[in-house]
Amino acid sequence: MSASFKGSNSSKFQVSEFILMGFPGIHSWQHWLSLPLALLYLSTIGANILILTTIYQDSSLKQPMYLFLGILSVVDMGLATTIVPKILAIFRFDAKAISLPECFAQIYAIHCFLGMESGVFLCMAFDRYVAICHPLRYPLIVTNSFITKATLFMVLRNGLFVIPVPVLAAQRHYCSRNEIEHCLCSNLGVTSLACDDRRPNSICQLVLAWLLMGGDLSLIVLTYALILRSIFRLNSAEAVSKALSTCSSHLILIFFFYTAVVVVSVTHLTETKNALIPVLLKVLHNTIPPSLSPVVYALRNRELREGFQKVFCLGLRKK
């Protein structure tokens, strides 16, 4: 599709829309991916709604650990909904055009939700730290008021801190190409089309990544180092096993999330001959983790499984 331009002078043409081409190199058959992607999206939304419903209806799950899990479910649904519907529209209906404001809004939403997910992982790590290292003070520290304040802080932190990313992208001059070899509007993918200097965008994204996600990860590592030190001081093997089991689900999700962040960052920084790889990794990073959280917690957490059973039994009784 030809580029859409506006302006009266050929030297000052400005692209009015971008064209999201989808996965590089497989444009001719990428529409076959719409069905598995749609199933993944529906299962993600359904599973996270099930977690929220279970936590809401089961009074025994109204504990800080599960309330943070509920917040994570909301963030996961927001991230998936920001990305997947547009990808499905590209694959199934060939709706590749996206206006500049929509594209910059998607950049903002993706960065915001990813930052909030990182922040929620940090809150969950702090919750486990207090529960294991300071159990007697746990009810006094991790209260409903603390959860509300922590959530509000994470929303404001990420909502405000990532604003420069789409703002700087919008200030670039897009005067020639408008076809993006991607399924979504990524900051680096969009600004690579700019006719002027995009270094401020790259520097801004790098600084924010180190400050937000890098800071969160450093605090999470420190928190779990203190947790492990406290756990291995316990005399009872059963107590050690129980303490580790309460952290296992959280650690699995953290490992997948931050490993994916590192891998995606490295593939963007290094020159890869196959353009499909970084795009595929970026899409998987934004779609797999939201569907992974419910599965991990359902498999690893007995209380949550019992809550699921209560919800299903209650639903059957109503019928």
Side-chain angles (χ1 to χ4, degrees):
M1 186 181 293
S2 61
S4 298
F5 298 107
K6 61 183 180 182
S8 56
N9 191 305
S10 61
S11 64
K12 294 186 178 181
F13 276 158
Q14 172 72 12
V15 171
S16 62
E17 65 180 19
F18 293 124
I19 308 299
L20 295 171
M21 301 301 294
F23 287 121
I26 61 170
H27 298 153
S28 59
W29 59 271
Q30 64 185 5
H31 61 278
W32 292 106
L33 299 175
S34 59
L35 179 58
L37 187 61
L39 293 175
L40 177 65
Y41 176 64
L42 292 175
S43 64
T44 298
I45 299 299
N48 282 291
I49 288 176
L50 177 60
I51 283 182
L52 289 171
T53 304
T54 303
I55 294 171
Y56 176 77
Q57 292 190 353
D58 192 340
S59 58
S60 66
L61 295 179
K62 288 183 171 59
Q63 305 172 32
M65 181 174 72
Y66 296 109
L67 294 177
F68 280 126
L69 177 60
I71 296 168
L72 182 63
S73 292
V74 173
V75 173
D76 283 340
M77 287 191 291
L79 179 61
T81 303
T82 299
I83 295 167
V84 179
K86 180 58 182 178
I87 298 178
L88 289 175
I90 294 170
F91 288 174
R92 196 64 194 166
F93 305 107
D94 205 34
K96 297 178 179 180
I98 184 170
S99 68
L100 268 66
E102 287 178 307
C103 190
F104 300 139
Q106 189 182 59
I107 291 174
Y108 172 79
I110 291 171
H111 283 77
C112 193
F113 280 122
L114 285 175
M116 281 193 282
E117 188 156 3
S118 177
V120 173
F121 283 142
L122 175 58
C123 291
M124 295 171 82
F126 178 76
D127 170 73
R128 290 299 84 203
Y129 165 73
V130 178
I132 293 172
C133 300
H134 304 282
L136 297 180
R137 298 177 59 192
Y138 182 75
L140 301 175
I141 298 175
V142 189
T143 61
N144 288 337
S145 175
F146 169 81
I147 295 171
T148 302
K149 290 176 182 177
T151 304
L152 183 60
F153 172 75
M154 288 302 164
V155 171
L156 291 175
R157 183 194 74 163
N158 296 288
L160 295 176
F161 272 36
V162 303
I163 287 176
V165 177
V167 168
L168 286 173
Q171 290 178 345
R172 302 277 67 79
H173 184 57
Y174 303 95
C175 61
S176 55
R177 295 178 300 128
N178 72 336
E179 292 184 349
I180 305 173
E181 290 290 340
H182 215 305
C183 303
L184 50 90
C185 287
S186 68
N187 180 46
L188 297 180
V190 170
T191 55
S192 66
L193 303 179
C195 301
D196 51 359
D197 188 11
R198 66 167 183 157
R199 280 179 295 179
N201 301 71
S202 301
I203 294 171
C204 176
Q205 179 159 333
L206 182 63
V207 170
L208 285 176
W210 277 106
L211 285 177
L212 296 181
M213 290 193 181
D216 289 345
L217 181 58
S218 298
L219 291 173
I220 289 170
V221 170
L222 175 62
T223 300
Y224 270 102
L226 296 173
I227 289 173
L228 291 174
R229 187 183 69 172
S230 179
I231 286 175
F232 291 121
R233 285 179 176 177
L234 298 174
N235 296 324
S236 170
E238 183 180 351
V240 171
S241 177
K242 184 177 180 181
L244 288 174
S245 68
T246 63
C247 302
S248 59
S249 301
H250 185 220
L251 284 171
I252 291 170
L253 295 180
I254 288 173
F255 175 78
F256 275 103
F257 179 79
Y258 285 105
T259 300
V261 168
V262 171
V263 171
V264 169
S265 301
V266 169
T267 55
H268 274 289
L269 291 173
T270 57
E271 294 292 333
T272 56
K273 294 181 179 180
N274 190 348
L276 175 63
I277 294 175
V279 175
L280 181 61
L281 288 175
K282 181 75 173 179
V283 172
L284 291 176
H285 172 231
N286 292 322
T287 54
I288 297 299
S291 63
L292 191 64
S293 302
V295 175
V296 170
Y297 271 90
L299 292 175
R300 304 281 307 176
N301 193 285
R302 179 178 56 82
E303 291 179 334
L304 194 60
R305 288 198 302 271
E306 292 175 353
F308 289 156
Q309 293 173 0
K310 290 178 184 178
V311 170
F312 282 125
C313 290
L314 184 63
L316 291 173
R317 286 174 186 172
K318 288 182 179 180
K319 290 182 180 179

XYZ file of all heavy atoms in Angstrom, residues 81-151:
561
model
N -5.350 -6.798 25.732
C -6.373 -6.096 24.954
C -5.775 -4.934 24.171
O -6.297 -4.554 23.116
C -7.482 -5.598 25.896
O -8.029 -6.714 26.608
C -8.606 -4.917 25.129
N -4.698 -4.372 24.651
C -4.011 -3.298 23.927
C -3.403 -3.801 22.623
O -3.313 -3.056 21.645
C -2.894 -2.694 24.810
O -3.490 -2.142 25.986
C -2.137 -1.603 24.077
N -3.022 -5.064 22.611
C -2.219 -5.601 21.499
C -2.987 -6.544 20.582
O -3.007 -6.375 19.361
C -0.979 -6.324 22.069
C -0.074 -5.325 22.774
C -0.209 -7.061 20.991
C 0.987 -5.948 23.623
N -3.618 -7.558 21.158
C -4.130 -8.684 20.364
C -5.251 -8.301 19.390
O -5.217 -8.740 18.230
C -4.568 -9.840 21.283
C -5.132 -10.994 20.455
C -3.386 -10.317 22.129
N -6.266 -7.525 19.779
C -7.330 -7.206 18.808
C -6.819 -6.577 17.517
O -7.304 -6.904 16.428
C -8.237 -6.240 19.596
C -8.054 -6.633 21.017
C -6.607 -7.005 21.128
N -5.822 -5.677 17.616
C -5.286 -5.055 16.410
C -4.536 -6.076 15.565
O -4.642 -6.070 14.329
C -4.350 -3.896 16.785
C -3.735 -3.173 15.590
C -4.815 -2.617 14.666
C -4.218 -1.942 13.441
N -5.256 -1.451 12.509
N -3.785 -6.981 16.218
C -3.071 -8.018 15.468
C -4.067 -8.919 14.744
O -3.866 -9.291 13.580
C -2.166 -8.841 16.402
C -1.107 -7.952 17.039
C -1.485 -9.973 15.624
C -0.203 -8.672 18.024
N -5.160 -9.273 15.415
C -6.198 -10.099 14.781
C -6.827 -9.376 13.594
O -7.129 -9.998 12.569
C -7.276 -10.463 15.814
C -6.860 -11.461 16.904
C -7.982 -11.623 17.924
C -6.498 -12.816 16.301
N -7.023 -8.075 13.732
C -7.590 -7.293 12.626
C -6.643 -7.284 11.426
O -7.077 -7.347 10.268
C -7.872 -5.863 13.085
N -5.339 -7.230 11.702
C -4.349 -7.269 10.615
C -4.370 -8.624 9.931
O -4.410 -8.721 8.694
C -2.935 -6.979 11.171
C -2.850 -5.552 11.695
C -1.872 -7.213 10.097
C -1.573 -5.266 12.470
N -4.335 -9.693 10.728
C -4.255 -11.040 10.175
C -5.539 -11.444 9.455
O -5.487 -12.027 8.371
C -3.969 -12.041 11.299
C -2.567 -11.970 11.850
C -2.196 -12.732 12.946
C -1.608 -11.146 11.275
C -0.907 -12.673 13.454
C -0.326 -11.072 11.777
C 0.027 -11.844 12.871
N -6.681 -11.144 10.061
C -7.949 -11.676 9.543
C -8.618 -10.768 8.525
O -9.201 -11.239 7.549
C -8.908 -11.929 10.715
C -10.093 -12.818 10.366
C -9.617 -14.195 9.988
N -10.668 -14.985 9.331
C -10.437 -16.101 8.678
N -9.208 -16.563 8.576
N -11.423 -16.773 8.116
N -8.569 -9.449 8.758
C -9.324 -8.517 7.915
C -8.415 -7.581 7.118
O -8.907 -6.651 6.477
C -10.290 -7.694 8.781
C -11.215 -8.526 9.616
C -11.039 -8.618 10.992
C -12.237 -9.256 9.026
C -11.880 -9.394 11.771
C -13.087 -10.037 9.797
C -12.910 -10.114 11.169
N -7.109 -7.814 7.190
C -6.146 -7.010 6.455
C -6.251 -5.522 6.817
O -5.981 -4.645 5.989
C -6.334 -7.190 4.943
C -5.045 -6.888 4.177
O -3.963 -7.175 4.716
O -5.138 -6.350 3.053
N -6.664 -5.245 8.069
C -6.811 -3.858 8.542
C -5.460 -3.377 9.070
O -5.242 -3.258 10.279
C -7.881 -3.777 9.623
N -4.569 -3.081 8.141
C -3.189 -2.769 8.507
C -2.965 -1.302 8.840
O -1.987 -0.957 9.499
C -2.249 -3.176 7.360
C -2.254 -4.672 7.067
C -1.345 -5.008 5.903
C -1.327 -6.498 5.623
N -0.452 -6.845 4.486
N -3.841 -0.424 8.391
C -3.654 1.011 8.605
C -3.944 1.375 10.059
O -4.877 0.861 10.680
C -4.558 1.803 7.670
N -3.125 2.260 10.592
C -3.339 2.796 11.941
C -2.921 4.262 11.930
O -1.863 4.613 11.410
C -2.557 1.984 12.998
C -2.867 2.488 14.406
C -1.064 2.006 12.732
C -2.314 1.582 15.516
N -3.763 5.118 12.461
C -3.454 6.543 12.466
C -2.308 6.830 13.429
O -2.021 6.036 14.334
C -4.692 7.356 12.869
O -5.021 7.113 14.237
N -1.672 7.967 13.249
C -0.553 8.320 14.114
C -0.971 8.438 15.581
O -0.295 7.875 16.453
C 0.107 9.618 13.632
C 1.280 9.448 12.653
C 0.796 8.861 11.329
C 1.993 10.779 12.412
N -2.094 9.122 15.903
C -2.508 9.188 17.318
C -2.782 7.807 17.917
O -2.415 7.550 19.070
C -3.781 10.039 17.272
C -3.635 10.881 16.044
C -2.940 10.002 15.053
N -3.433 6.919 17.143
C -3.688 5.563 17.640
C -2.388 4.819 17.889
O -2.254 4.086 18.878
C -4.543 4.794 16.634
C -5.983 5.214 16.564
C -6.743 4.434 15.502
O -6.277 4.402 14.345
O -7.793 3.866 15.824
N -1.434 4.996 16.995
C -0.149 4.313 17.117
C 0.604 4.791 18.356
O 1.118 3.985 19.138
C 0.682 4.552 15.864
S 2.177 3.538 15.764
N 0.642 6.098 18.557
C 1.339 6.637 19.733
C 0.615 6.258 21.024
O 1.259 6.051 22.056
C 1.478 8.151 19.605
C 2.268 8.589 18.392
C 1.868 9.672 17.635
C 3.416 7.896 18.023
C 2.590 10.066 16.516
C 4.154 8.283 16.907
C 3.731 9.371 16.152
N -0.717 6.169 20.960
C -1.489 5.732 22.138
C -1.164 4.279 22.482
O -1.061 3.919 23.661
C -2.980 5.893 21.885
N -0.989 3.448 21.447
C -0.626 2.048 21.699
C 0.780 1.949 22.303
O 1.007 1.139 23.215
C -0.706 1.229 20.414
C -0.552 -0.271 20.665
C -0.580 -1.098 19.396
O 0.237 -0.910 18.492
N -1.517 -2.030 19.316
N 1.707 2.756 21.812
C 3.057 2.788 22.400
C 2.972 3.120 23.886
O 3.605 2.468 24.729
C 3.946 3.819 21.671
C 4.270 3.348 20.252
C 5.237 4.062 22.444
C 5.019 4.370 19.419
N 2.167 4.134 24.200
C 2.014 4.545 25.604
C 1.410 3.425 26.446
O 1.918 3.113 27.535
C 1.134 5.788 25.688
C 0.766 6.172 27.098
C 1.673 6.852 27.909
C -0.481 5.839 27.635
C 1.346 7.191 29.211
C -0.810 6.170 28.933
C 0.102 6.848 29.726
O -0.226 7.176 31.015
N 0.335 2.818 25.947
C -0.358 1.776 26.712
C 0.537 0.561 26.954
O 0.565 0.008 28.067
C -1.639 1.352 25.982
N 1.285 0.143 25.939
C 2.174 -1.012 26.087
C 3.232 -0.746 27.157
O 3.449 -1.568 28.057
C 2.838 -1.373 24.740
C 1.801 -1.919 23.759
C 3.954 -2.403 24.952
C 2.328 -2.105 22.348
N 3.889 0.415 27.072
C 4.918 0.747 28.062
C 4.319 0.878 29.461
O 4.930 0.464 30.450
C 5.627 2.052 27.667
C 6.630 1.890 26.574
N 6.274 1.755 25.245
C 7.985 1.816 26.604
C 7.369 1.626 24.514
N 8.411 1.654 25.307
N 3.133 1.445 29.527
C 2.478 1.657 30.818
C 2.127 0.325 31.470
O 2.428 0.098 32.656
C 1.225 2.502 30.625
S 0.523 3.136 32.161
N 1.508 -0.581 30.731
C 1.096 -1.875 31.286
C 2.302 -2.746 31.639
O 2.292 -3.444 32.662
C 0.175 -2.609 30.313
C -1.250 -2.120 30.346
C -1.858 -1.628 29.200
C -1.983 -2.156 31.512
C -3.170 -1.167 29.224
C -3.301 -1.692 31.556
C -3.889 -1.195 30.403
N 3.347 -2.716 30.799
C 4.552 -3.493 31.119
C 5.212 -2.976 32.397
O 5.668 -3.754 33.236
C 5.543 -3.440 29.954
C 5.193 -4.283 28.726
C 6.202 -4.035 27.607
C 5.151 -5.772 29.064
N 5.256 -1.652 32.545
C 5.806 -1.070 33.759
C 4.982 -1.413 34.982
O 5.529 -1.689 36.059
N 3.648 -1.408 34.830
C 2.777 -1.764 35.957
C 2.934 -3.232 36.333
O 2.902 -3.587 37.519
C 1.315 -1.440 35.627
C 0.984 0.030 35.772
S -0.788 0.369 35.764
C -1.132 0.267 34.024
N 3.095 -4.099 35.333
C 3.306 -5.517 35.626
C 4.588 -5.709 36.419
O 4.620 -6.456 37.407
C 3.363 -6.316 34.321
C 3.383 -7.815 34.540
C 2.875 -8.599 33.344
O 2.553 -7.988 32.313
O 2.790 -9.830 33.458
N 5.646 -5.008 36.029
C 6.901 -5.068 36.768
C 6.705 -4.561 38.193
O 7.224 -5.142 39.157
C 7.971 -4.235 36.041
O 9.176 -4.211 36.763
N 5.947 -3.475 38.341
C 5.683 -2.911 39.660
C 4.881 -3.846 40.547
O 5.133 -3.943 41.754
N 3.903 -4.535 39.963
C 3.104 -5.490 40.739
C 3.978 -6.653 41.209
O 3.832 -7.129 42.348
C 1.903 -6.009 39.911
C 1.171 -7.126 40.658
C 0.929 -4.872 39.614
N 4.893 -7.105 40.360
C 5.823 -8.170 40.782
C 6.648 -7.714 41.988
O 6.921 -8.496 42.903
C 6.748 -8.561 39.633
C 6.098 -9.429 38.593
C 6.378 -9.262 37.243
C 5.211 -10.427 38.966
C 5.779 -10.063 36.291
C 4.609 -11.234 38.015
C 4.889 -11.052 36.670
N 7.055 -6.440 41.995
C 7.809 -5.908 43.129
C 6.945 -5.892 44.391
O 7.426 -6.264 45.476
C 8.304 -4.497 42.804
C 9.023 -3.752 43.938
C 10.238 -4.532 44.418
C 9.416 -2.348 43.483
N 5.697 -5.474 44.266
C 4.784 -5.473 45.417
C 4.570 -6.887 45.959
O 4.541 -7.099 47.184
C 3.438 -4.866 45.015
S 3.488 -3.096 44.676
N 4.436 -7.847 45.060
C 4.250 -9.241 45.476
C 5.500 -9.772 46.176
O 5.409 -10.545 47.141
C 3.895 -10.099 44.259
C 2.564 -9.740 43.626
S 2.256 -10.581 42.048
C 1.648 -12.156 42.606
N 6.674 -9.352 45.709
C 7.924 -9.768 46.360
C 8.010 -9.178 47.766
O 8.411 -9.870 48.722
C 9.123 -9.330 45.527
N 7.628 -7.908 47.914
C 7.638 -7.280 49.239
C 6.650 -7.977 50.171
O 6.943 -8.180 51.357
C 7.290 -5.796 49.115
C 7.229 -5.078 50.438
C 8.398 -4.730 51.104
C 6.005 -4.772 51.024
C 8.343 -4.076 52.325
C 5.949 -4.124 52.246
C 7.117 -3.776 52.905
N 5.487 -8.337 49.632
C 4.487 -9.065 50.426
C 5.059 -10.371 50.958
O 4.896 -10.709 52.143
C 3.251 -9.334 49.558
C 2.270 -10.295 50.216
O 1.597 -9.895 51.171
O 2.212 -11.472 49.776
N 5.756 -11.134 50.116
C 6.354 -12.404 50.558
C 7.499 -12.159 51.556
O 7.686 -12.939 52.490
C 6.883 -13.180 49.350
C 5.812 -13.746 48.423
C 4.889 -14.728 49.129
N 3.805 -14.043 49.828
C 3.129 -14.549 50.840
N 3.452 -15.732 51.330
N 2.147 -13.884 51.409
N 8.227 -11.059 51.355
C 9.327 -10.738 52.281
C 8.796 -10.498 53.691
O 9.316 -11.054 54.669
C 10.079 -9.504 51.782
C 10.983 -8.889 52.824
C 12.182 -9.506 53.190
C 10.625 -7.691 53.458
C 13.005 -8.946 54.165
C 11.440 -7.129 54.427
C 12.628 -7.766 54.777
O 13.430 -7.209 55.745
N 7.758 -9.686 53.801
C 7.199 -9.384 55.129
C 6.577 -10.637 55.739
O 6.743 -10.908 56.937
C 6.158 -8.247 55.038
C 5.542 -7.974 56.418
C 6.783 -6.984 54.486
N 5.869 -11.428 54.905
C 5.203 -12.624 55.411
C 6.192 -13.650 55.954
O 5.914 -14.333 56.951
C 4.354 -13.252 54.307
N 7.349 -13.775 55.325
C 8.330 -14.805 55.714
C 9.339 -14.277 56.735
O 9.667 -14.959 57.706
C 9.056 -15.342 54.467
C 8.062 -16.106 53.584
C 10.223 -16.247 54.845
C 8.607 -16.511 52.229
N 9.814 -13.056 56.532
C 10.878 -12.525 57.402
C 10.330 -11.816 58.641
O 11.027 -11.752 59.661
C 11.765 -11.566 56.617
S 12.586 -12.323 55.199
N 9.119 -11.269 58.552
C 8.518 -10.563 59.698
C 7.058 -10.999 59.862
O 6.140 -10.164 59.744
C 8.605 -9.048 59.501
C 9.992 -8.553 59.263
N 10.920 -8.396 60.283
C 10.639 -8.197 58.117
C 12.056 -7.951 59.782
N 11.922 -7.823 58.468
N 6.800 -12.278 60.111
C 5.426 -12.789 60.142
C 4.536 -12.141 61.204
O 3.333 -11.962 60.977
C 5.606 -14.287 60.410
C 6.969 -14.399 61.017
C 7.788 -13.321 60.407
N 5.094 -11.785 62.343
C 4.286 -11.200 63.415
C 3.827 -9.779 63.061
O 2.765 -9.337 63.505
C 5.086 -11.179 64.723
C 5.481 -12.561 65.278
C 6.276 -12.404 66.562
C 4.237 -13.415 65.525
N 4.613 -9.084 62.278
C 4.263 -7.710 61.890
C 3.501 -7.650 60.566
O 3.087 -6.574 60.139
C 5.545 -6.879 61.785
C 6.308 -6.751 63.091
C 7.598 -5.989 62.893
N 7.352 -4.639 62.378
C 8.309 -3.840 61.895
N 9.563 -4.283 61.830
N 8.016 -2.634 61.449
N 3.328 -8.811 59.927
C 2.689 -8.857 58.602
C 1.308 -8.199 58.581
O 1.020 -7.369 57.709
C 2.610 -10.304 58.122
C 2.004 -10.476 56.741
C 2.721 -10.159 55.599
C 0.702 -10.953 56.584
C 2.180 -10.313 54.330
C 0.146 -11.114 55.324
C 0.879 -10.789 54.202
O 0.338 -10.932 52.958
N 0.404 -8.531 59.537
C -0.937 -7.909 59.494
C -0.910 -6.400 59.705
O -1.848 -5.711 59.296
C -1.687 -8.611 60.639
C -0.904 -9.836 60.947
C 0.508 -9.497 60.647
N 0.140 -5.901 60.346
C 0.231 -4.471 60.613
C 0.834 -3.705 59.437
O 0.547 -2.515 59.253
C 1.091 -4.220 61.868
C 0.601 -4.865 63.166
C 1.604 -4.626 64.288
C -0.768 -4.308 63.549
N 1.677 -4.382 58.641
C 2.362 -3.710 57.529
C 1.585 -3.834 56.224
O 1.280 -2.831 55.564
C 3.790 -4.278 57.357
C 4.627 -4.010 58.612
C 4.467 -3.679 56.123
C 6.006 -4.644 58.578
N 1.256 -5.061 55.831
C 0.573 -5.296 54.547
C -0.935 -5.283 54.789
O -1.584 -6.317 54.916
C 1.028 -6.616 53.909
C 0.467 -6.731 52.491
C 2.544 -6.697 53.858
N -1.482 -4.096 54.865
C -2.915 -3.896 55.097
C -3.605 -3.543 53.775
O -2.949 -3.327 52.750
C -3.131 -2.760 56.100
O -2.565 -1.553 55.550
C -2.446 -3.075 57.434
N -4.931 -3.463 53.818
C -5.676 -3.041 52.626
C -5.291 -1.628 52.213
O -5.248 -1.300 51.021
C -7.179 -3.118 52.897
C -7.685 -4.549 52.954
O -7.067 -5.453 52.402
N -8.801 -4.763 53.622
N -4.998 -0.792 53.206
C -4.564 0.575 52.914
C -3.221 0.570 52.182
O -3.023 1.331 51.218
C -4.444 1.364 54.220
O -3.914 2.650 53.982
N -2.314 -0.307 52.615
C -1.010 -0.418 51.943
C -1.193 -0.876 50.503
O -0.545 -0.339 49.586
C -0.115 -1.408 52.690
C 1.141 -1.778 51.944
C 2.246 -0.940 51.957
C 1.209 -2.959 51.203
C 3.397 -1.270 51.257
C 2.358 -3.294 50.503
C 3.449 -2.446 50.533
N -2.057 -1.856 50.285
C -2.289 -2.375 48.930
C -2.847 -1.276 48.026
O -2.424 -1.119 46.876
C -3.245 -3.580 48.972
C -2.594 -4.742 49.736
C -3.630 -4.028 47.569
C -3.535 -5.896 50.027
N -3.807 -0.497 48.562
C -4.395 0.596 47.785
C -3.345 1.643 47.421
O -3.261 2.098 46.277
C -5.534 1.261 48.580
O -6.522 0.281 48.908
C -6.177 2.379 47.775
N -2.522 2.023 48.411
C -1.492 3.037 48.171
C -0.426 2.527 47.194
O 0.024 3.282 46.322
C -0.840 3.438 49.494
C -1.757 4.229 50.415
C -1.080 4.512 51.746
C -2.014 5.274 52.688
N -1.395 5.494 54.028
N -0.023 1.254 47.346
C 0.983 0.686 46.447
C 0.462 0.630 45.016
O 1.184 0.948 44.060
C 1.376 -0.712 46.920
N -0.799 0.236 44.859
C -1.405 0.160 43.527
C -1.502 1.539 42.897
O -1.167 1.730 41.714
C -2.805 -0.469 43.613
O -2.720 -1.754 44.241
C -3.419 -0.616 42.232
